């Protein structure tokens, strides 16, 4: 089995075994990967590769939008607006083949990813049963 196939198999297992919170973190990781690829390909004048990467980034944001429950919490509508802004900036970068909008978007996505990662870790810590040691004999 080739290394690429092994990596693909590992990623599939990781996705299939993740919680919803973990999937959001994985989505942000992939989103950052595609944003950086789009930025690099724009710099290298690889038009087709930049287009493919940025379209994948947009699809991931649409997945995040579709998963967002705007009636579940107060900040959800603000997050939806942020996602819409990200979509607009990525589309602008893609159409104009200009990385400047990506320079604005990447730090925002990084902050969102870190926030979700921290929340995921807190949820996981709360799920772990506490182990107590009985020292009485």
């Amino acid at each position: 089995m080739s290394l690429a196939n092994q990596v693909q198999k590992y990623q599939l297992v990781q996705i299939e075994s993740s919680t919803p919170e973990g999937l959001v973190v994985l989505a942000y990781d992939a989103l950052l990967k595609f944003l950086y690829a789009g930025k690099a390909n724009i710099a290298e004048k690889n038009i087709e590769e930049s287009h493919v990467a940025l379209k994948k980034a947009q699809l991931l944001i649409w997945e995040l939008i579709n998963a967002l429950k705007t009636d579940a919490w107060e900040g959800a509508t603000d997050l939806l607006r942020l996602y819409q802004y990200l979509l607009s900036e990525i589309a602008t970068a893609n159409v104009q083949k200009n990385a400047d909008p990506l320079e604005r978007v990447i730090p925002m996505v990084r902050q969102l990813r870190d926030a979700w990662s921290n929340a995921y870790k807190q949820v996981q810590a709360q799920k772990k049963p506490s182990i107590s040691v009985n020292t009485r004999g």
Side-chain angles (χ1 to χ4, degrees):
M1 182 183 290
S2 74
L3 181 59
N5 287 343
Q6 290 174 347
V7 169
Q8 202 171 36
K9 188 173 182 178
Y10 170 78
Q11 290 171 334
L12 183 61
V13 168
Q14 190 178 20
I15 290 168
E16 289 175 345
S17 64
S18 285
T19 63
E21 300 89 359
L23 287 174
V24 173
V25 175
L26 290 174
Y28 280 120
D29 287 341
L31 176 56
L32 284 166
K33 177 182 123 180
F34 293 129
L35 291 172
Y36 282 118
K39 180 181 164 187
N41 282 306
I42 287 172
E44 295 168 9
K45 307 283 190 238
N46 294 329
I47 304 304
E48 184 61 32
E49 290 87 352
S50 67
H51 175 74
V52 168
L54 295 177
K55 289 303 287 183
K56 287 179 180 179
Q58 288 176 302
L59 287 172
L60 279 168
I61 294 173
W62 278 112
E63 288 298 321
L64 290 167
I65 288 172
N66 290 332
L68 185 61
K69 296 177 181 159
T70 54
D71 58 347
W73 57 288
E74 239 177 78
T77 55
D78 291 332
L79 185 56
L80 176 60
R81 281 191 283 263
L82 180 57
Y83 286 156
Q84 290 167 336
Y85 170 77
L86 296 175
L87 282 171
S88 174
E89 289 293 283
I90 295 167
T92 299
N94 198 8
V95 169
Q96 296 177 358
K97 297 303 174 207
N98 179 350
D100 290 343
L102 300 178
E103 293 291 340
R104 293 188 290 273
V105 163
I106 289 171
M108 292 178 195
V109 173
R110 170 82 42 210
Q111 285 182 332
L112 287 167
R113 187 255 177 235
D114 291 346
W116 274 101
S117 179
N118 289 335
Y120 174 66
K121 288 175 188 172
Q122 289 175 359
V123 167
Q124 291 303 102
Q126 290 172 355
K127 288 181 181 179
K128 287 184 182 177
S130 60
I131 300 173
S132 61
V133 176
N134 186 355
T135 56
R136 296 183 204 176

